[in-house]
Amino acid sequence: MENKMIDGVKVAVNYAQASDTPVSDDEIKAYIKRAYDKYPHGQLESLTLDVDGEDVGIHYGLAPVKFDRIRRITGYLVGTLDRFNDAKRAEEHDRVKHEVPACCK
């Protein structure tokens, strides 16, 4: 097993047999480029290569994506109220807001 950092990505290379041809840094960079081509909006954190003779298993570890909370307010699915006009803001302000009991928080 070989571990290294290349272009800010943690790379692990696992060889099935001692006679397997070592993977070059240029080949690893090509696998990293492939990840960014395949997942253009993802952030690659790790790359694991399982080498068995001529076969290479590729496993990408992508960073988790921040999830924006979406709520149903005044009949609309929204994340924030910043795009509401004055009438919708007033409607949201006037609606009854229910509290969550302390036992359920």
Side-chain angles (χ1 to χ4, degrees):
M1 183 170 178
E2 178 182 334
N3 293 314
K4 58 174 90 174
M5 288 291 284
I6 295 182
D7 294 341
V9 178
K10 185 171 72 171
V11 179
V13 182
N14 303 315
Y15 297 100
Q17 303 168 31
S19 61
D20 289 334
T21 305
V23 179
S24 70
D25 286 354
D26 288 337
E27 189 175 354
I28 292 171
K29 288 179 183 180
Y31 288 128
I32 291 172
K33 182 184 178 317
R34 179 182 182 270
Y36 285 121
D37 290 344
K38 189 171 182 178
Y39 304 104
H41 301 294
Q43 176 60 41
L44 186 64
E45 287 186 334
S46 65
L47 170 67
T48 303
L49 302 174
D50 295 323
V51 180
D52 187 5
E54 294 291 320
D55 299 325
V56 177
I58 307 168
H59 308 281
Y60 297 119
L62 299 175
V65 178
K66 183 180 180 297
F67 179 78
D68 291 327
R69 179 178 166 197
I70 297 176
R71 300 173 287 169
R72 185 177 185 91
I73 299 175
T74 66
Y76 295 92
L77 295 175
V78 297
T80 63
L81 304 179
D82 60 337
R83 297 186 65 189
F84 275 18
N85 63 22
D86 291 340
K88 276 294 174 195
R89 287 178 197 269
E91 185 179 337
E92 190 278 330
H93 180 267
D94 294 342
R95 72 182 241 260
V96 176
K97 296 175 178 75
H98 302 282
E99 295 291 325
V100 176
C103 68
C104 301
K105 288 185 181 178

